[in-house]
Amino acid sequence: ETGVTQSPTHLIKTRGQQVTLRCSSQSGHNTVSWYQQALGQGPQFIFQYYREEENGRGNFPPRFSGLQFPNYSSELNVNALELDDSALYLCASSSYRESTYEQYFGPGTRLTVT
Amino acid sequence: AQSVSQHNHHVILSEAASLELGCNYSYGGTVNLFWYVQYPGQHLQLLLKYFSGDPLVKGIKGFEAEFIKSKFSFNLRKPSVQWSDTAEYFCAVTVTGGGNKLTFGTGTQLKVEL
C-alpha cells in the first residue's frame, strides 16, 4: 500500500508569482484535504476535495484554489504569492469525507516566498 | 467555530518520567478528538483517537488519553517516556456532521533527555 506522496519537497518563489503543489492520495482513498502549517503553528485547514468536488473550505482567500482528479490525486494552486504564504503545505487523504475517518498525511511541501 | 488549545509549548523530561500534555477544545456540540505526533523528519501520524464510548483511549507506543466532557479536555499521558518519544505532539478535533476537517492546536514540542 502506497502512502500519501507530495511534490515537490521544497520550493522557492518570488512574491506575486503562482505555485502548484501536488499530492497523490493513499490507495483506496477518495478524499483529500490540504493544510497550511506556518512555523511554530499547528496545521490549518485550507480545503477538502471529495470525488473531484470541493467539500469544505477554511478561512483562506480565493487565490488558494485546488483540483482533484479522477484518480483522486490533487493539486493546490496559490496565485499572487505573499510573504505570509511561506509555510509547510500538508496533504492528507482519507477513505471518506466524514469526521470519524482517519486522515493520513504526506511529508509536505516547504514553500518559501521571497 | 471550534478551537483547540494546548497549554504547554515546550516540555523537557528525563527518560522514565511521566508525561501529561494538556489539550482543551471549545465547541458546544459533538466532537471527535485526536492526538497526532510528528517525529523529527517524519510525517504527521495518528497516536490515538476518540469518537465515542470509553473516555479512556489507548494508542500506539504506550500513549493514552482521557476525554473529560465536562472540562472540554483530552489530555495525553504516558507513564514512562523514552528518548525516542522526542517529537512534536498535536491535539486536533473534528466536529460530527462538519465533515472531515481537522482543527489543530499549536502543538507541544517534547524533548526527552537521557
Side-chain angles (χ1 to χ4, degrees):
Chain A
E1 186 178 81
T2 307
V4 179
T5 60
Q6 293 185 243
S7 62
T9 307
H10 296 89
L11 205 51
I12 300 175
K13 289 286 189 178
T14 302
R15 191 170 48 184
Q17 286 188 315
Q18 178 264 342
V19 69
T20 297
L21 310 182
R22 294 178 176 82
C23 170
S24 290
S25 58
Q26 186 164 310
S27 176
H29 287 184
N30 59 22
T31 303
V32 172
S33 302
W34 286 91
Y35 294 84
Q36 181 196 66
Q37 186 176 12
L39 203 60
Q41 301 296 318
Q44 283 199 303
F45 176 76
I46 302 175
F47 44 54
Q48 182 179 90
Y49 279 84
Y50 170 69
R51 293 185 175 178
E52 302 178 59
E53 291 192 2
E54 189 178 288
N55 180 51
R57 187 179 184 92
N59 190 25
F60 281 81
R63 59 189 184 84
F64 285 78
S65 63
L67 279 174
Q68 187 179 34
F69 300 99
N71 66 355
Y72 303 129
S73 66
S74 178
E75 286 183 355
L76 164 65
N77 299 291
V78 187
N79 293 322
L81 283 167
E82 301 177 0
L83 296 178
D84 284 349
D85 295 333
S86 294
L88 180 68
Y89 288 85
L90 297 170
C91 169
S93 73
S94 58
S95 57
Y96 196 52
R97 60 179 172 174
E98 294 303 320
S99 61
T100 54
Y101 283 76
E102 181 178 344
Q103 294 188 42
Y104 294 80
F105 283 83
T109 293
R110 174 75 61 189
L111 173 64
T112 302
V113 182
T114 62
Chain B
Q2 66 272 25
S3 65
V4 177
S5 298
Q6 292 183 243
H7 319 297
N8 317 99
H9 298 294
H10 292 90
V11 173
I12 301 175
L13 294 173
S14 299
E15 266 205 329
S18 64
L19 170 73
E20 181 160 3
L21 301 182
C23 172
N24 286 89
Y25 68 92
S26 68
Y27 185 71
T30 304
V31 296
N32 308 292
L33 297 152
F34 306 81
W35 275 98
Y36 280 86
V37 61
Q38 189 167 32
Y39 297 103
Q42 295 189 26
H43 307 187
L44 264 175
Q45 57 184 282
L46 185 66
L47 262 183
L48 48 78
K49 59 190 176 186
Y50 172 80
F51 297 150
S52 63
D54 188 344
L56 184 63
V57 293
K58 295 188 184 301
I60 60 171
K61 305 188 180 186
F63 286 90
E64 65 178 32
E66 185 176 13
F67 171 49
I68 303 179
K69 191 174 181 180
S70 60
K71 295 185 178 180
F72 297 88
S73 71
F74 190 57
N75 292 354
L76 181 70
R77 300 194 292 246
K78 186 172 185 180
S80 175
V81 296
Q82 300 173 307
W83 178 81
S84 58
D85 293 324
T86 294
E88 188 154 22
Y89 293 80
F90 293 94
C91 182
V93 303
T94 60
V95 172
T96 298
N100 204 352
K101 164 195 166 182
L102 284 161
T103 299
F104 285 87
T106 52
T108 296
Q109 187 68 52
L110 171 66
K111 182 178 179 182
V112 180
E113 296 178 332
L114 295 170

